Amino acid sequence: MRFLMTLNGGVAAADEQLYAEMGKFVEELTSAGVLLATGGLAMQGTHASASGGRVTFTDGPYAEAKETIVSFALLEVRSKEEAIELSRRFWELVGDGEGDIRQVFGPE
């Protein structure tokens, strides 16, 4: 099962200790074959909206930084419970903030 774990904006800036701890966590997940991809997303973006055959685009930034996804991790795990446990470990490192865990559907 694939899950996307996201981090929303509005979290405290990372310091050297967090970078080191996160590096170890990422290495552990990569070595275990669980982590498929990670990445950061720019706060600026373009929103697409389609209605009645018409497509419109609106440039960001978005209304509130805390609502914007700023990074993600794509995980290959056996269950939702495993994704939740890995997310719990992530948040223990990061501290306060918000994000989501969503199952990814598609070709495997």
Side-chain angles (χ1 to χ4, degrees), residues 27-77:
E27 178 60 34
E28 176 189 337
L29 297 183
T30 301
S31 295
V34 173
L35 183 63
L36 302 179
T38 62
L41 303 171
M43 292 298 288
Q44 298 279 348
T46 302
H47 178 77
S49 177
S51 178
R54 181 174 175 201
V55 181
T56 57
F57 298 92
T58 308
D59 287 333
Y62 304 98
E64 293 192 44
K66 69 180 184 178
E67 297 173 354
T68 302
I69 296 171
V70 296
S71 66
F72 69 92
L74 181 60
L75 307 171
E76 179 80 44
V77 293

Side-chain angles (χ1 to χ4, degrees), residues 6 11 19 23 41 57 59 75 85 88 96 98 100 104-105:
T6 66
V11 296
Y19 278 121
L41 303 171
F57 298 92
D59 287 333
L75 307 171
E85 182 55 34
R88 183 182 323 281
D96 295 344
E98 293 185 21
D100 294 302
V104 176
F105 299 102

